[in-house]
Amino acid sequence: MIRLSFAAAASALVLVACASAPVEDAAPAAAASAAAISPFDLAMQSVETLVDAGNTQTAIDRLTQLTGDPSLSREQIAEVLFRRGELRLSETGFDTMGAVEDFEEVVDDYSDTEWYTAAVPMLDTARGKATSLNALLAQPETTRAQKFNILMDLGQHDEAMDLMQAADLTPENDTLLAMYQIGYLCEGDELTGRAYDVTEPDGTFHQLRFCDLGK
């Protein structure tokens, strides 16, 4: 009985010691995991967040900033150029010729990276789209509204703006939003000229005018 009592007491001490042992804090592990994400990865995540929110032009600007970062490796620069080309070629990118230039740069200057293989077919696609758009632009039956859309899609924005104002055109909301993000349209009581109603994907409403009028 005495031995059993001693054994029981020993077991109780072990249980108390286990129960009172501090639980390892998970915070340092989480912090270490967050720290493992590189500044480049964070920057690329921010680009995708902008795209998901409907801010394609702002995302393109962010990628353009990254191309000037001297700390990036060749692999990372190639990725930035490829992603910018993808966005420029997209429906809300409005810069087909810019996409051609991005994919050409990856193919010509970064053939030693993994992005080269992906850029080759994308370059063909971008060039084919540019050829088709220019052919439509040259047709005499193409309306002024169609020409405006083609010029915007090609990335010839200054020409598109001149045509828009001369013909008093009303672009679609996505196009007006792109013009706002690029910097052609602004919001301000000091501006004059025709107003354009624009709604962002999150529902934010703007009444915009050409930035160079009224200042």
Side-chain angles (χ1 to χ4, degrees), residues 110-176:
Y110 295 91
S111 59
D112 58 326
T113 69
E114 65 174 303
W115 298 97
Y116 169 83
T117 302
V120 171
M122 292 299 293
L123 177 57
D124 289 340
T125 299
R127 283 174 172 170
K129 182 179 178 180
T131 299
S132 299
L133 290 172
N134 279 306
L136 288 171
L137 188 63
Q139 292 179 3
E141 63 269 22
T142 302
T143 66
R144 288 181 296 181
Q146 290 171 332
K147 287 182 178 180
F148 166 80
N149 289 326
I150 292 170
L151 289 169
M152 279 295 295
D153 207 355
L154 283 169
Q156 297 174 219
H157 301 145
D158 287 343
E159 295 178 46
M161 295 307 108
D162 290 341
L163 179 58
M164 176 180 167
Q165 293 182 76
D168 194 25
L169 301 174
T170 305
E172 295 182 356
N173 187 78
D174 286 347
T175 307
L176 291 170

Side-chain angles (χ1 to χ4, degrees), residues 58-196:
T58 308
I60 290 172
D61 289 342
R62 181 71 184 97
L63 290 168
T64 300
Q65 292 173 352
L66 286 174
T67 61
D69 188 340
S71 70
L72 299 190
S73 67
R74 288 178 56 79
E75 196 75 37
Q76 290 171 332
I77 288 292
E79 181 179 352
V80 169
L81 290 169
F82 182 86
R83 184 61 180 129
R84 188 174 67 175
E86 281 188 319
L87 291 181
R88 283 174 162 174
L89 193 61
S90 68
E91 289 185 1
T92 54
F94 297 103
D95 195 359
T96 299
M97 296 310 301
V100 170
E101 293 174 0
D102 284 338
F103 295 133
E104 280 180 341
E105 188 170 354
V106 176
V107 170
D108 294 341
D109 299 337
Y110 295 91
S111 59
D112 58 326
T113 69
E114 65 174 303
W115 298 97
Y116 169 83
T117 302
V120 171
M122 292 299 293
L123 177 57
D124 289 340
T125 299
R127 283 174 172 170
K129 182 179 178 180
T131 299
S132 299
L133 290 172
N134 279 306
L136 288 171
L137 188 63
Q139 292 179 3
E141 63 269 22
T142 302
T143 66
R144 288 181 296 181
Q146 290 171 332
K147 287 182 178 180
F148 166 80
N149 289 326
I150 292 170
L151 289 169
M152 279 295 295
D153 207 355
L154 283 169
Q156 297 174 219
H157 301 145
D158 287 343
E159 295 178 46
M161 295 307 108
D162 290 341
L163 179 58
M164 176 180 167
Q165 293 182 76
D168 194 25
L169 301 174
T170 305
E172 295 182 356
N173 187 78
D174 286 347
T175 307
L176 291 170
L177 180 59
M179 291 167 57
Y180 176 48
Q181 292 176 359
I182 293 170
Y184 285 101
L185 295 178
C186 294
E187 195 169 27
D189 295 336
E190 76 280 7
L191 300 176
T192 60
R194 179 182 170 184
Y196 301 91

